[in-house]
Amino acid sequence: MEETYLLNVEGVKKKILHGGHGELPKLQDGSKFTFHFQTLKDDFERTVIDDSREAGMPMEIIMGKMFKLEIWETLLSSMRIGEVAEFWCDTIHTGMYALVSRGMRRIAEGRDPLEGQKHRCGMGNMFDYHSTGYDDLDELQRAPQPLIFIMELFRVEDPSAYKRDTWAMSKEEKLAAVPVLHSEGNRLVLRREFAQAAAKYQEAVICLRNLQAKEKPWEDGWLKLESLVTPLVLNYCQCQLELGEYYEVLEHTTELLQKHNDNAKAYFKRAKAHAAVWNEREAREDFQRVAHLDPSMAAAVKKELKQLGERMRKKHVEDRKRYQGLFQSSQGL
């Protein structure tokens, strides 16, 4: 179809390159678009800025979740499944493209898209950057210009039809997901599927941490969420102990104890991780803190200390034998 026509949006023109099929999808807040796109300069050469096919993955955005390039929701909402369309967008719609492209490129490169970004609004971050790290995007940042977007829409999914990423959930959805994930994690632990259980606990923690980021630290809302985070982190650490990921346990229990230095269970799990990696002094100190903080765990601590002593003695004997063998070998040279 060669005819170019205007969308009912200021500063946008659309040309259908390949017709789609069916009716326009019924959209609602939370609908997910999956599509490929090309971004071109509106110059004689139609210089390509970005191409999702070259990046090796289609793009996904969630409707109503404040994607920084808001015009894309409008463009995609005008398309049928399977349609390929070209959109010319004036500068009023493209001023944020450099920031959006920077994030997409970082994701494709396996890097953090928010690396170096300050906790400010998107436009504020644009002015904070001296450079995006990409010369062509620096040019767009200095002098925004009309752009051409060629899009191919593959599918539109209702919110109930796909697993919602944590960032795409509302506050209510995150709070509702946490007990479900906690319960699923517990069920998987009973089946000794520790890696899968750890993933459930971790997902629940991410939901809560996202909510905490909007609260003032140590105030009531933050503390209420923290009380839900703590047992999930401890369950996650128990799974990691079972999986032999001892340094992972050391990292997370230490972080937890920096906030809650009276948590006996955190000290106990950290002590077991220290013991597993032969940190005898640190393990003993943590086990002693456990017995001091929670006398009901004294018997368990006594058992762990006995086992630690036996393991360390055995290790010392083996080390002496190994060193003697090396010494005798060196004498025979």
Side-chain angles (χ1 to χ4, degrees):
M1 299 183 184
E2 294 298 330
E3 181 184 2
T4 298
Y5 61 99
L6 295 172
L7 287 176
N8 190 26
V9 179
E10 182 184 359
V12 176
K13 296 178 184 178
K14 175 181 178 181
K15 180 194 295 184
I16 297 177
L17 305 180
H18 178 76
H21 54 81
E23 300 295 323
L24 286 173
K26 294 180 180 179
L27 302 172
Q28 57 181 301
D29 189 43
S31 293
K32 181 167 76 171
F33 298 100
T34 302
F35 59 100
H36 268 307
F37 74 94
Q38 264 192 330
T39 304
L40 315 173
K41 287 185 178 181
D42 185 22
D43 57 13
F44 181 77
E45 295 83 5
R46 289 169 61 94
T47 305
V48 177
I49 300 172
D50 289 307
D51 187 335
S52 61
R53 284 187 172 82
E54 287 188 4
M57 62 177 118
M59 183 72 181
E60 295 179 347
I61 63 173
I62 308 295
M63 189 169 185
K65 294 303 176 183
M66 297 180 70
F67 183 65
K68 288 187 177 69
L69 204 63
E70 293 180 15
I71 192 61
W72 274 17
E73 284 190 20
T74 303
L75 307 184
L76 291 163
S77 298
S78 76
M79 299 178 69
R80 292 174 169 80
I81 305 301
E83 181 179 320
V84 182
E86 176 178 308
F87 300 91
W88 177 91
C89 294
D90 203 353
T91 310
I92 58 173
H93 301 298
T94 63
M96 294 295 293
Y97 187 77
L99 179 62
V100 171
S101 177
R102 175 184 187 270
M104 292 188 295
R105 291 183 188 187
R106 284 179 172 271
I107 291 171
E109 294 165 4
R111 300 163 65 190
D112 181 357
L114 300 179
E115 181 183 318
Q117 183 167 313
K118 298 181 179 180
H119 295 286
R120 294 176 55 187
C121 69
M123 188 61 74
N125 275 307
M126 283 290 285
F127 292 114
D128 281 330
Y129 294 136
H130 297 294
S131 172
T132 63
Y134 305 93
D135 291 341
D136 57 339
L137 299 184
D138 287 344
E139 178 190 342
L140 288 179
Q141 182 171 299
R142 285 191 298 269
Q145 57 191 265
L147 295 174
I148 297 167
F149 302 112
I150 300 176
M151 295 179 161
E152 180 179 1
L153 181 61
F154 296 137
R155 59 182 175 272
V156 177
E157 299 169 273
D158 291 337
S160 60
Y162 65 93
K163 185 177 182 294
R164 305 287 296 279
D165 290 329
T166 298
W167 65 267
M169 292 181 180
S170 67
K171 177 180 179 180
E172 292 73 21
E173 288 170 330
K174 288 173 184 171
L175 286 172
V178 168
V180 175
L181 291 166
H182 198 159
S183 178
E184 288 177 354
N186 292 347
R187 178 178 56 81
L188 289 163
V189 166
L190 291 174
R191 291 165 53 179
R192 300 192 65 78
E193 296 177 15
F194 297 113
Q196 295 89 333
K200 296 294 183 183
Y201 295 137
Q202 186 177 45
E203 188 175 351
V205 169
I206 290 170
C207 285
L208 293 169
R209 291 295 191 210
N210 286 345
L211 293 173
Q212 266 191 319
K214 299 175 183 176
E215 302 284 346
K216 281 193 173 184
W218 303 105
E219 292 194 356
D220 288 346
W222 188 94
L223 288 169
K224 185 176 180 180
L225 293 167
E226 185 69 12
S227 70
L228 299 174
V229 168
T230 299
L232 288 163
V233 172
L234 291 172
N235 287 359
Y236 174 82
C237 288
Q238 183 60 42
C239 291
Q240 298 303 322
L241 281 173
E242 298 286 352
L243 293 167
E245 299 291 345
Y246 304 119
Y247 290 102
E248 182 89 354
V249 177
L250 292 175
E251 177 184 348
H252 288 284
T253 51
T254 298
E255 182 182 347
L256 188 62
L257 287 165
Q258 287 170 351
K259 299 176 185 173
H260 311 287
N261 62 4
D262 60 348
N263 192 301
K265 290 181 179 179
Y267 278 118
F268 190 77
K269 295 185 192 305
R270 190 171 75 170
K272 287 178 71 70
H274 275 309
V277 296
W278 308 105
N279 297 337
E280 182 180 11
R281 178 180 59 80
E282 292 87 346
R284 290 187 180 278
E285 288 176 355
D286 278 353
F287 279 132
Q288 288 165 3
R289 287 193 186 98
V290 173
H292 174 72
L293 290 167
D294 188 351
S296 69
M297 298 180 70
V301 167
K302 184 177 179 181
K303 179 181 177 182
E304 292 289 341
L305 286 171
K306 182 180 178 182
Q307 290 178 350
L308 175 61
E310 290 171 351
R311 288 181 68 240
M312 294 308 300
R313 281 192 291 275
K314 183 177 179 181
K315 182 176 185 296
H316 293 326
V317 169
E318 291 174 350
D319 287 346
R320 281 198 298 271
K321 288 180 179 177
R322 187 181 305 112
Y323 294 143
Q324 286 173 357
L326 289 172
F327 179 70
Q328 290 170 355
S329 297
S330 63
Q331 282 187 325
L333 293 176

mmCIF file of all heavy atoms in Angstrom, residues 68 96 99-100 102-103 106 112-126 128-129:
data_model
loop_
_atom_site.group_PDB
_atom_site.id
_atom_site.type_symbol
_atom_site.label_atom_id
_atom_site.label_comp_id
_atom_site.label_asym_id
_atom_site.label_seq_id
_atom_site.Cartn_x
_atom_site.Cartn_y
_atom_site.Cartn_z
ATOM 1 N N LYS A 68 9.453 5.116 28.082
ATOM 2 C CA LYS A 68 9.917 6.502 27.921
ATOM 3 C C LYS A 68 9.557 7.102 26.563
ATOM 4 O O LYS A 68 9.411 8.302 26.437
ATOM 5 C CB LYS A 68 11.428 6.570 28.136
ATOM 6 C CG LYS A 68 11.860 6.382 29.585
ATOM 7 C CD LYS A 68 13.343 6.627 29.744
ATOM 8 C CE LYS A 68 13.789 6.513 31.196
ATOM 9 N NZ LYS A 68 13.727 5.143 31.693
ATOM 10 N N MET A 96 13.261 11.862 23.407
ATOM 11 C CA MET A 96 13.797 10.899 24.373
ATOM 12 C C MET A 96 14.466 9.706 23.706
ATOM 13 O O MET A 96 14.925 8.796 24.391
ATOM 14 C CB MET A 96 12.667 10.396 25.281
ATOM 15 C CG MET A 96 12.075 11.455 26.196
ATOM 16 S SD MET A 96 13.271 12.045 27.413
ATOM 17 C CE MET A 96 13.491 10.572 28.394
ATOM 18 N N LEU A 99 18.024 8.390 24.863
ATOM 19 C CA LEU A 99 18.039 7.696 26.154
ATOM 20 C C LEU A 99 17.467 6.290 26.044
ATOM 21 O O LEU A 99 18.025 5.322 26.578
ATOM 22 C CB LEU A 99 17.241 8.508 27.179
ATOM 23 C CG LEU A 99 17.148 7.911 28.585
ATOM 24 C CD1 LEU A 99 18.522 7.778 29.218
ATOM 25 C CD2 LEU A 99 16.245 8.776 29.460
ATOM 26 N N VAL A 100 16.345 6.160 25.304
ATOM 27 C CA VAL A 100 15.733 4.850 25.122
ATOM 28 C C VAL A 100 16.678 3.913 24.367
ATOM 29 O O VAL A 100 16.873 2.756 24.757
ATOM 30 C CB VAL A 100 14.398 4.992 24.362
ATOM 31 C CG1 VAL A 100 13.842 3.624 23.972
ATOM 32 C CG2 VAL A 100 13.383 5.743 25.219
ATOM 33 N N ARG A 102 19.925 4.078 24.116
ATOM 34 C CA ARG A 102 21.070 3.739 24.971
ATOM 35 C C ARG A 102 20.740 2.541 25.851
ATOM 36 O O ARG A 102 21.527 1.587 25.967
ATOM 37 C CB ARG A 102 21.435 4.951 25.836
ATOM 38 C CG ARG A 102 22.546 4.708 26.859
ATOM 39 C CD ARG A 102 22.706 5.973 27.703
ATOM 40 N NE ARG A 102 23.848 5.896 28.591
ATOM 41 C CZ ARG A 102 23.806 5.425 29.836
ATOM 42 N NH1 ARG A 102 22.668 4.961 30.324
ATOM 43 N NH2 ARG A 102 24.898 5.410 30.580
ATOM 44 N N GLY A 103 19.565 2.552 26.480
ATOM 45 C CA GLY A 103 19.171 1.434 27.330
ATOM 46 C C GLY A 103 19.014 0.146 26.559
ATOM 47 O O GLY A 103 19.474 -0.921 26.992
ATOM 48 N N ARG A 106 22.415 -1.286 25.619
ATOM 49 C CA ARG A 106 23.103 -1.878 26.775
ATOM 50 C C ARG A 106 22.532 -3.263 27.092
ATOM 51 O O ARG A 106 23.274 -4.189 27.428
ATOM 52 C CB ARG A 106 22.992 -0.958 27.984
ATOM 53 C CG ARG A 106 23.936 0.247 27.908
ATOM 54 C CD ARG A 106 23.780 1.145 29.115
ATOM 55 N NE ARG A 106 24.803 2.183 29.116
ATOM 56 C CZ ARG A 106 25.992 2.056 29.681
ATOM 57 N NH1 ARG A 106 26.309 0.931 30.272
ATOM 58 N NH2 ARG A 106 26.872 3.034 29.638
ATOM 59 N N ASP A 112 24.040 -3.446 32.222
ATOM 60 C CA ASP A 112 22.962 -2.844 32.994
ATOM 61 C C ASP A 112 22.479 -1.588 32.271
ATOM 62 O O ASP A 112 23.250 -0.642 32.089
ATOM 63 C CB ASP A 112 23.473 -2.469 34.395
ATOM 64 C CG ASP A 112 22.396 -1.848 35.278
ATOM 65 O OD1 ASP A 112 21.269 -1.650 34.798
ATOM 66 O OD2 ASP A 112 22.701 -1.571 36.456
ATOM 67 N N PRO A 113 21.193 -1.517 31.861
ATOM 68 C CA PRO A 113 20.720 -0.335 31.140
ATOM 69 C C PRO A 113 20.687 0.926 31.994
ATOM 70 O O PRO A 113 20.647 2.033 31.471
ATOM 71 C CB PRO A 113 19.305 -0.726 30.706
ATOM 72 C CG PRO A 113 18.883 -1.763 31.676
ATOM 73 C CD PRO A 113 20.144 -2.525 32.011
ATOM 74 N N LEU A 114 20.717 0.773 33.339
ATOM 75 C CA LEU A 114 20.659 1.930 34.231
ATOM 76 C C LEU A 114 22.031 2.297 34.788
ATOM 77 O O LEU A 114 22.131 3.146 35.669
ATOM 78 C CB LEU A 114 19.703 1.646 35.394
ATOM 79 C CG LEU A 114 18.259 1.349 34.992
ATOM 80 C CD1 LEU A 114 17.428 1.050 36.224
ATOM 81 C CD2 LEU A 114 17.665 2.487 34.202
ATOM 82 N N GLU A 115 23.071 1.660 34.284
ATOM 83 C CA GLU A 115 24.409 1.911 34.786
ATOM 84 C C GLU A 115 24.754 3.397 34.702
ATOM 85 O O GLU A 115 24.683 4.021 33.650
ATOM 86 C CB GLU A 115 25.419 1.113 33.957
ATOM 87 C CG GLU A 115 26.862 1.262 34.399
ATOM 88 C CD GLU A 115 27.774 0.487 33.466
ATOM 89 O OE1 GLU A 115 27.412 -0.643 33.094
ATOM 90 O OE2 GLU A 115 28.834 1.010 33.103
ATOM 91 N N GLY A 116 25.110 3.990 35.840
ATOM 92 C CA GLY A 116 25.506 5.393 35.874
ATOM 93 C C GLY A 116 24.353 6.364 35.898
ATOM 94 O O GLY A 116 24.549 7.578 35.964
ATOM 95 N N GLN A 117 23.116 5.855 35.904
ATOM 96 C CA GLN A 117 21.964 6.757 35.854
ATOM 97 C C GLN A 117 21.585 7.222 37.248
ATOM 98 O O GLN A 117 21.555 6.439 38.188
ATOM 99 C CB GLN A 117 20.781 6.021 35.214
ATOM 100 C CG GLN A 117 19.551 6.888 35.040
ATOM 101 C CD GLN A 117 18.551 6.225 34.131
ATOM 102 O OE1 GLN A 117 18.891 5.728 33.071
ATOM 103 N NE2 GLN A 117 17.302 6.214 34.532
ATOM 104 N N LYS A 118 21.296 8.479 37.407
ATOM 105 C CA LYS A 118 20.882 9.034 38.687
ATOM 106 C C LYS A 118 19.396 8.777 38.894
ATOM 107 O O LYS A 118 18.650 8.575 37.963
ATOM 108 C CB LYS A 118 21.158 10.547 38.733
ATOM 109 C CG LYS A 118 22.637 10.882 38.591
ATOM 110 C CD LYS A 118 22.858 12.380 38.675
ATOM 111 C CE LYS A 118 24.343 12.715 38.549
ATOM 112 N NZ LYS A 118 24.574 14.173 38.627
ATOM 113 N N HIS A 119 18.974 8.789 40.163
ATOM 114 C CA HIS A 119 17.574 8.547 40.469
ATOM 115 C C HIS A 119 16.772 9.825 40.268
ATOM 116 O O HIS A 119 16.411 10.528 41.200
ATOM 117 C CB HIS A 119 17.429 8.039 41.903
ATOM 118 C CG HIS A 119 18.065 6.696 42.084
ATOM 119 N ND1 HIS A 119 17.507 5.542 41.586
ATOM 120 C CD2 HIS A 119 19.226 6.326 42.669
ATOM 121 C CE1 HIS A 119 18.285 4.511 41.878
ATOM 122 N NE2 HIS A 119 19.329 4.967 42.529
ATOM 123 N N ARG A 120 16.522 10.114 38.993
ATOM 124 C CA ARG A 120 15.749 11.287 38.632
ATOM 125 C C ARG A 120 14.843 10.922 37.477
ATOM 126 O O ARG A 120 14.892 9.815 36.950
ATOM 127 C CB ARG A 120 16.690 12.434 38.225
ATOM 128 C CG ARG A 120 17.545 12.967 39.352
ATOM 129 C CD ARG A 120 18.503 14.027 38.853
ATOM 130 N NE ARG A 120 17.783 15.096 38.165
ATOM 131 C CZ ARG A 120 18.411 16.074 37.529
ATOM 132 N NH1 ARG A 120 19.726 16.124 37.486
ATOM 133 N NH2 ARG A 120 17.721 17.013 36.922
ATOM 134 N N CYS A 121 14.004 11.850 37.085
ATOM 135 C CA CYS A 121 13.121 11.579 35.956
ATOM 136 C C CYS A 121 13.951 11.391 34.687
ATOM 137 O O CYS A 121 15.108 11.789 34.619
ATOM 138 C CB CYS A 121 12.131 12.719 35.759
ATOM 139 S SG CYS A 121 12.900 14.241 35.172
ATOM 140 N N GLY A 122 13.327 10.806 33.664
ATOM 141 C CA GLY A 122 14.048 10.525 32.420
ATOM 142 C C GLY A 122 14.648 11.758 31.799
ATOM 143 O O GLY A 122 15.785 11.762 31.353
ATOM 144 N N MET A 123 13.908 12.866 31.752
ATOM 145 C CA MET A 123 14.431 14.068 31.129
ATOM 146 C C MET A 123 15.601 14.624 31.930
ATOM 147 O O MET A 123 16.595 15.096 31.374
ATOM 148 C CB MET A 123 13.322 15.122 31.006
ATOM 149 C CG MET A 123 13.745 16.333 30.187
ATOM 150 S SD MET A 123 14.197 15.908 28.480
ATOM 151 C CE MET A 123 12.583 15.593 27.774
ATOM 152 N N GLY A 124 15.497 14.538 33.252
ATOM 153 C CA GLY A 124 16.612 14.993 34.084
ATOM 154 C C GLY A 124 17.867 14.211 33.811
ATOM 155 O O GLY A 124 18.969 14.761 33.737
ATOM 156 N N ASN A 125 17.716 12.901 33.592
ATOM 157 C CA ASN A 125 18.885 12.077 33.292
ATOM 158 C C ASN A 125 19.502 12.457 31.957
ATOM 159 O O ASN A 125 20.712 12.359 31.776
ATOM 160 C CB ASN A 125 18.484 10.598 33.276
ATOM 161 C CG ASN A 125 18.495 10.002 34.654
ATOM 162 O OD1 ASN A 125 19.485 10.101 35.360
ATOM 163 N ND2 ASN A 125 17.382 9.428 35.066
ATOM 164 N N MET A 126 18.680 12.875 31.006
ATOM 165 C CA MET A 126 19.221 13.280 29.715
ATOM 166 C C MET A 126 20.223 14.417 29.882
ATOM 167 O O MET A 126 21.276 14.442 29.260
ATOM 168 C CB MET A 126 18.079 13.754 28.805
ATOM 169 C CG MET A 126 17.259 12.616 28.202
ATOM 170 S SD MET A 126 18.197 11.692 26.979
ATOM 171 C CE MET A 126 18.170 12.860 25.629
ATOM 172 N N ASP A 128 21.891 15.081 32.583
ATOM 173 C CA ASP A 128 23.026 14.681 33.406
ATOM 174 C C ASP A 128 24.123 14.015 32.581
ATOM 175 O O ASP A 128 25.281 14.014 32.962
ATOM 176 C CB ASP A 128 22.573 13.697 34.492
ATOM 177 C CG ASP A 128 21.921 14.425 35.650
ATOM 178 O OD1 ASP A 128 22.299 15.581 35.889
ATOM 179 O OD2 ASP A 128 21.026 13.847 36.288
ATOM 180 N N TYR A 129 23.772 13.389 31.457
ATOM 181 C CA TYR A 129 24.762 12.660 30.689
ATOM 182 C C TYR A 129 25.650 13.632 29.900
ATOM 183 O O TYR A 129 25.165 14.446 29.136
ATOM 184 C CB TYR A 129 24.082 11.723 29.679
ATOM 185 C CG TYR A 129 23.306 10.613 30.296
ATOM 186 C CD1 TYR A 129 22.041 10.273 29.813
ATOM 187 C CD2 TYR A 129 23.822 9.883 31.355
ATOM 188 C CE1 TYR A 129 21.318 9.238 30.368
ATOM 189 C CE2 TYR A 129 23.085 8.852 31.924
ATOM 190 C CZ TYR A 129 21.832 8.532 31.426
ATOM 191 O OH TYR A 129 21.117 7.520 31.987
#
